[in-house]
Amino acid sequence: MAKPLSPDSPVTEARYVRWLERDLVPDRLIRLGIRQLLAQRLEQEGRGWPEGPAERLADLVAGLRSSPVALHTDAANAQHYEVPAEFYRLVLGPNLKYSCALWADGTSDLGRAEEAMLDLTCRRARLGDGQDILELGCGWGSLSPALGGAVSFEPDPGRIQFPLPEGAHRPGGRPARPPEP
């Protein structure tokens, strides 16, 4: 007779994940499971109060200070740039925005959904004239051109680089790379 699986075994966890992905678990049970996991975590964090949590936080901060900002960036870049730029032009909207779009009621195409998300991002950031904005890790740089409609925006050509091949153009005919200063 087969030995029963432990609730913590990877096989059991994979089975639970499949059930969740297929929407076979009622929301009530999902919420109960979340509450149990949160209670366990709160108990773990509260052990050794008041010194324990402070020590764990100090250890976390020390670890973060001694580690790089990002890990495996070469592998991530290689994976991202192994896909030709033309692929992105075929599957993304006119702003080449691949992080998300806002499909509000009445939105009928990807270009408008991209613009709605860019507009919401600018409003939430409470951008205003005279601010210096540093956009990092921005993919194709879809936010920078959108800023022109939200605030008085003049990109610094010495600092901006778009990851398009030389000679390629962004939507609206803007050059992919700014001219050399």
Side-chain angles (χ1 to χ4, degrees):
M1 184 164 151
K3 187 175 164 184
L5 293 173
S6 160
D8 297 327
S9 82
V11 174
T12 303
E13 185 176 330
R15 184 179 301 149
Y16 291 151
V17 168
R18 280 196 308 275
W19 291 348
L20 289 166
E21 288 172 346
R22 292 180 185 152
D23 203 20
L24 298 175
V25 181
D27 288 346
R28 252 181 28 179
L29 286 178
I30 293 171
R31 285 192 295 273
L32 177 65
I34 291 170
R35 286 187 187 109
Q36 287 176 342
L37 290 171
L38 289 172
Q40 288 173 1
R41 180 59 185 234
L42 287 172
E43 204 226 293
Q44 289 170 351
E45 290 299 317
R47 286 188 190 139
W49 185 261
E51 296 83 15
E55 287 175 19
R56 283 192 292 281
L57 178 59
D59 289 345
L60 173 65
V61 169
L64 291 173
R65 284 189 175 146
S66 66
S67 69
V69 172
L71 301 173
H72 312 294
T73 55
D74 291 341
N77 285 337
Q79 181 183 19
H80 176 75
Y81 293 115
E82 71 186 18
V83 178
E86 186 58 28
F87 169 79
Y88 293 105
R89 286 189 196 91
L90 291 171
V91 299
L92 298 177
N95 294 292
L96 297 177
K97 183 173 185 352
Y98 62 81
S99 55
C100 61
L102 178 61
W103 291 88
D105 290 341
T107 304
S108 59
D109 65 78
L110 182 55
R112 287 200 169 98
E114 286 179 342
E115 289 168 11
M117 191 66 227
L118 290 165
D119 178 63
L120 179 61
T121 300
C122 291
R123 284 186 285 128
R124 286 182 174 170
R126 298 181 183 158
L127 302 176
D129 289 342
Q131 291 178 317
D132 290 327
I133 300 165
L134 177 61
E135 186 181 5
L136 296 173
C138 53
W140 292 93
S142 60
L143 181 60
S144 294
L147 293 174
V151 297
S152 174
F153 175 71
E154 292 183 30
D156 178 349
R159 293 186 186 174
I160 296 178
Q161 292 184 353
F162 295 105
L164 290 173
E166 289 296 333
H169 282 78
R170 295 185 44 73
R174 294 182 299 271
R177 295 185 190 275
E180 291 299 319

